[in-house]
Structures are given as structure tokens and as C-alpha cells.
Amino acid sequence: MIDVEKIRRDFPILGREVYGKPLVYFDNAATTQKPRCVIDSISEAYCNENANVHRGIHFLSQHATDLMESARDKVRQFIGAGSTEEIIFTRGTTESINLLASSFSRAFLNKGDEVIISGMEHHSNIVPWQIQSEIHGFKIKVIPVLDNGELDLEAFKTLISDKTRLVSITHVSNVLGTVNPVAEIITEAHSHGIPVAVDGAQSVPHIKVNVQELGADFYAFSGHKIYGPTGIGVLYGRKELLEQMPPYQGGGEMIKRVTFEKTTYNELPYKFEAGTPDYVGSIALAKALDYVQSIGIDNIAGYESELCNYAIERLNSIPDIRIIGNAGHRSAVVSFLVGNIYPSDMGTLLDRLGIAVRTGHHCAEPLMDRMGIPGTVRASFAFYNTKAEIDTLVAGIERVRKMF
Ligand code: PLP
């Protein structure tokens, strides 16, 4: 079970005030706050462990390398990957998908081929494919979103053709909270021999993810959304596929041998990690994953689902509220609009009450167009949030509503 008061004491920032009011932080889908153990691990790394990794014979370099490589193994274990060769450190989900789009396209995509994405993707799972499609001439097809915020799986089946080379979809929508049935989508795609990439930015922090059980061929997530530091993220890729894909960037670390005539590339995963990696970030990410495991991902999922249901129930008591997305299976995100109040007005006034929510298109403009709205107010939850904070949010919305 979750002991919220104890957990909250692990997060120094949760004790602060904003405009003289206790901070109510409901912007967890954008980034999560950091527990003391993660903050301490960054300080410890620079105070005691710092040296560039992988290329030093001296004690500190080897020590930092060991810490970074054990962090890689922690990530492997956390997402249930088979081998550390399949865990590539990146700057975050965005870089993971850009790496994938660039490298996968060069290896496997030609003019006339097709990549399927969905209508609820974050821009970071749309634009990298558009950039590559301009270079390689493949087509992007889009799985439609139903009115309730679920994907139209029947339409998905009809989009698959003998030209489909990849399906790339989000596990959890950062706007609607919809948990997509990725296992089902993967099974369908695999029955046609098509690999599937999953954007796990909003899933890994909230629900149990096992890439091998899901059958995902690629899986991306960001450290900062799972209580780790900014600037570190992960791309999991199946070894057989990664081995056939060319490097994303060139430089130190990713080579075996360089001559002016020809360069040979390093083995996995280093082939995809050019330059000095953010080893401090990797080490702190491993600490964050340890912290999450100490609470238990199933406990987290259960508690957050309770919070989310409570929030929906309380929000529904507000006249004129419209909750956007009503999927059967959802995660810790609620998007809404109240009457004709513009989301940014609502967000600004809630902010004055110490309540941090996000407003706007949430980097999902095509989804906003599909829903026929310019943006939403989004409250997104973490295991350190409380029902009392949701009550504060609801009271705040009521107050703002009365001002309009
Ligand atoms: N994908 C989804 C579903 C997201 O919610 C986000 C961030 O909000 C991203 C990708 C991009 O993550 P990052 O900015 O950490 O690279």
C-alpha cells in the first residue's frame, strides 16, 4: 500500500509554497518531481565518482563506467528486456524516437513504404517520421481516434497493407490518459510480420511494462517523467533489428576503428551512443527506478487509478465541465474544459492558488483538431498526490468559474 505522507517527505519540492499557498503539483505528465535519493545521487556522482566513462584506465573512470553499466542493467531489468545490448541511453523519448526514425528509415524504408502511427501521438512520434518521410519517400498512415478517446482498432486493421514496414504508437495518451491495447496491436502487426515501436513516455512511470511480454520491438521513455533527472532517456530495441540499423550520430564511443578510408562501428548498444554519455543521468535514473520499485509499480498503478477515478468523479460535479476522453482503460491524466473559459485563463488563475496544471495543446495538435478543441486543461497525477489536493483543485475551478 501507499503511505503518501511518508512518500511526500522524500520529495523536498513538495514542501514549498507558491504565491503563499501550498504547492499542488498536477503537472506530472510534463515532468515529475525528484525524490531526495535521486538528487543526492547527482551530488554524490559529482562529489565522489566523476570521470569520463568507457575510455579510462584509471580508478574513477572505471568506477563511473561500472555505475553507468549497472544503471543500464537496472533499466533492462525494469522494463524486462533480455539484454543490456538492447538498452540505448538517449536524452529522452524525443531523442529515442528521432534515433529510431532516422536509423530505421535508412535501414528499412523506401519510397512507397508505409509507417502507421495514431491520431493521439505526441508531436515527438509524428514529426520525426515526417522528417524521414521527406528524405525516404515513405507514407505515413494514421489510426483514427474514436469520440471516447480510444483508438479505432478496426480501422487499424484496414490500414495494414503489404507496404507497411512499422507501426509506431503511444502506450498511454498524454492528453486523454487512454491506455492503448498495445499487446493486441503488436499481435496484429506481428501477424503481418510488421515490427512495432511504442512511445512509453506516459506508461513506464505508471503501469508495469515488460517489453518482452508485450512483444514490443522498440520502446522509448524519458527519465524525467519517472522521477529521474532531465536529459536522460532510453530506447529499447530488439537486438536483431538494432544490429541491422546504422548509427544515428557519429563521433567517439560509437566506433571500433576509424581511418579516413573507412570506419567500422562499435557493438551494441555503443554503436548508438556517440560522444560522452550522460553517465550521471544514467546513474540517477537507476536510483529513480530503485525508488519506484521500492514502492511497487502495482501499488503505484492502483493508487493512481484511485486518484484518477476520484478526480473524474469530483470534476464531474462541476457544472459545464467537459472531460475530454473517456476510455475504458485509462492512466493518471485528466483533460477538461469548463464552459467557455479558455484553458490558459483557467491555468493562470489556478496557478495563483498554488495549483500547477498544464494548458494548451500538449504537443498533440492533430488530436486537438480531431476533438475540435484548441486545447485543454490537464491535471496529471503521481503517487505523491492526494485526494485532498484534488479537492483543492475542484474548489479552485469552482472559484475560477464564478469569476467568469
Ligand atoms: N511522448 C509522450 C506521450 C509524451 O507525453 C512526451 C512528453 O510529454 C514525449 C513523448 C516527449 O518526451 P520528452 O520531452 O521527455 O522527450
Side-chain angles (χ1 to χ4, degrees):
M1 290 304 99
I2 297 265
D3 182 347
V4 190
E5 286 316 313
K6 180 168 174 288
I7 286 170
R8 287 180 70 84
R9 287 196 291 277
D10 293 336
F11 290 79
I13 207 170
L14 297 180
R16 71 159 289 170
E17 295 189 337
V18 171
Y19 303 116
K21 307 269 184 340
L23 169 68
V24 173
Y25 187 76
F26 283 150
D27 197 16
N28 294 287
T31 199
T32 52
Q33 300 302 347
K34 317 304 168 198
R36 174 76 68 192
C37 61
V38 167
I39 300 166
D40 286 350
S41 116
I42 295 167
S43 162
E44 172 64 13
Y46 286 122
C47 288
N48 266 321
E49 296 154 351
N50 183 54
N52 206 333
V53 290
H54 292 140
R55 44 189 145 217
I57 49 155
H58 60 82
F59 175 87
L60 273 187
S61 174
Q62 292 187 7
H63 184 48
T65 303
D66 288 348
L67 290 170
M68 179 183 165
E69 291 309 318
S70 59
R72 196 188 303 278
D73 193 53
K74 178 82 230 177
V75 171
R76 178 202 65 72
Q77 180 231 323
F78 193 85
I79 60 167
S83 157
T84 48
E85 293 172 296
E86 301 180 314
I87 304 297
I88 300 161
F89 282 121
T90 63
R91 281 194 302 121
T93 309
T94 302
E95 190 175 58
S96 296
I97 300 175
N98 275 278
L99 185 167
L100 171 68
S102 163
S103 181
F104 188 90
S105 301
R106 280 186 290 144
F108 300 117
L109 297 179
N110 296 304
K111 197 168 166 48
D113 286 343
E114 292 169 0
V115 169
I116 297 178
I117 62 173
S118 91
M120 64 171 79
E121 298 308 317
H122 187 280
H123 294 164
S124 63
N125 197 27
I126 302 172
V127 185
W129 299 109
Q130 290 174 327
I131 291 171
Q132 296 303 323
S133 99
E134 280 177 20
I135 300 168
H136 300 279
F138 59 86
K139 240 176 96 176
I140 298 169
K141 288 176 152 184
V142 182
I143 309 170
V145 178
L146 299 168
D147 289 342
N148 70 354
E150 293 180 354
L151 288 180
D152 184 342
L153 293 184
E154 288 313 307
F156 165 57
K157 289 175 193 161
T158 67
L159 291 180
I160 294 177
S161 79
D162 59 2
K163 297 195 184 72
T164 313
R165 299 285 171 262
L166 183 76
V167 175
S168 187
I169 42 148
T170 192
H171 198 157
V172 172
S173 162
N174 64 313
V175 178
L176 310 168
T178 310
V179 181
N180 288 316
V182 287
E184 204 181 312
I185 289 169
I186 289 168
T187 304
E188 179 66 24
H190 283 182
S191 73
H192 298 268
I194 303 161
V196 178
V198 182
D199 171 350
Q202 299 296 345
S203 48
V204 170
H206 303 288
I207 55 178
K208 190 168 181 354
V209 169
N210 183 306
V211 291
Q212 289 190 91
E213 279 169 19
L214 282 174
D217 298 279
F218 300 98
Y219 204 98
F221 70 95
S222 300
H224 70 97
K225 292 187 198 283
I226 185 163
Y227 314 99
T230 50
I232 190 77
V234 172
L235 176 67
Y236 159 80
R238 260 197 323 110
K239 191 176 166 189
E240 300 89 287
L241 290 168
L242 291 179
E243 273 174 340
Q244 297 173 64
M245 290 161 51
Y248 173 51
Q249 293 179 329
E253 282 300 297
M254 49 74 69
I255 51 90
K256 249 196 188 123
R257 168 105 178 101
V258 179
T259 66
F260 286 118
E261 289 68 42
K262 179 161 177 63
T263 290
T264 49
Y265 304 129
N266 207 342
E267 57 220 18
L268 292 175
Y270 311 110
K271 179 172 86 174
F272 291 107
E273 292 180 357
T276 299
D278 184 357
Y279 49 90
V280 173
S282 312
I283 297 165
L285 172 61
K287 278 278 182 281
L289 300 181
D290 278 338
Y291 182 81
V292 165
Q293 282 182 328
S294 75
I295 297 171
I297 195 79
D298 290 334
N299 289 332
I300 290 170
Y303 178 73
E304 289 178 349
S305 157
E306 201 182 305
L307 275 184
C308 196
N309 290 339
Y310 182 73
I312 290 170
E313 189 191 310
R314 291 293 328 271
L315 289 170
N316 270 327
S317 70
I318 298 169
D320 301 335
I321 198 155
R322 182 176 156 210
I323 292 180
I324 313 296
N326 179 29
H329 189 190
R330 64 183 301 154
S331 182
V333 173
V334 184
S335 264
F336 58 88
L337 290 167
V338 181
N340 294 324
I341 304 172
Y342 211 73
S344 56
D345 291 338
M346 176 64 83
T348 306
L349 292 166
L350 288 175
D351 178 49
R352 287 281 154 179
L353 302 171
I355 305 166
V357 290
R358 187 145 293 241
T359 61
H361 55 61
H362 313 295
C363 298
E365 285 190 283
L367 178 61
M368 296 299 125
D369 294 343
R370 159 65 185 88
M371 293 299 179
I373 51 179
T376 74
V377 183
R378 180 185 75 182
S380 52
F381 309 113
F383 52 69
Y384 44 60
N385 290 127
T386 65
K387 287 185 181 170
E389 288 181 312
I390 290 169
D391 293 339
T392 305
L393 170 69
V394 171
I397 296 169
E398 283 288 17
R399 208 167 137 182
V400 174
R401 208 175 67 84
K402 287 192 183 110
M403 289 166 67
F404 277 81

